[in-house]
Amino acid sequence: QVQVVESGGGSVQAGESLRLSCTAAGPAFREWQAGWFRQAPGKEREAVSCIAKKIPTHYADSVRGRFTISRDNTGNTLYLQMNSLRPEDTAIYYCAAGPLLRFCSAEGYAYWAQGTQVTISS
């Protein structure tokens, strides 16, 4: 079983920034597709941003231009830089990874982190 671990998150004011980080043990992580999903109270889980080799990076319309997904040079750590945060970005954010299957669909990710709360106040 692969353990995916994420960090970051917290509570900030609207307009501020946060960065989420995610990593997993083993060399496979850098080869897998990876993504960030979020779930707000009373809403379904949605894809925020996804990355995979040879596939254009995906951003949800609501975050495009404000959020940036990236990997470090080793490929072992995944980031989500979140700028110009809004109250509607408040949610639990999940990092997910796995062999490429159904890119940017929650069903396509085999391994999930525990989730981290992001709260944006106005």
Side-chain angles (χ1 to χ4, degrees), residues 2-102:
V2 175
Q3 185 176 14
V4 181
V5 179
E6 64 179 287
S7 60
S11 298
V12 298
Q13 299 281 331
E16 295 184 343
S17 299
L18 284 171
R19 188 176 77 165
L20 305 181
S21 301
C22 172
T23 189
F29 182 72
R30 70 174 73 94
E31 303 297 327
W32 288 345
Q33 67 167 335
W36 294 94
F37 293 77
R38 68 185 180 186
Q39 188 165 18
K43 296 187 177 181
E44 294 186 355
R45 187 172 298 190
E46 64 171 345
V48 176
S49 183
C50 307
I51 191 168
K53 290 187 174 182
K54 301 181 180 180
I55 296 178
T57 299
H58 170 81
Y59 291 98
D61 290 342
S62 59
V63 307
R64 187 175 292 111
R66 300 187 297 122
F67 290 13
T68 303
I69 190 171
S70 64
R71 291 184 187 267
D72 70 354
N73 289 339
T74 68
N76 290 332
T77 303
L78 180 75
Y79 300 103
L80 184 67
Q81 178 66 42
M82 306 185 291
N83 299 329
S84 302
L85 283 160
R86 305 168 179 169
E88 54 264 38
D89 294 318
T90 295
I92 298 174
Y93 283 70
Y94 298 90
C95 172
L100 183 59
L101 179 66
R102 292 189 177 181

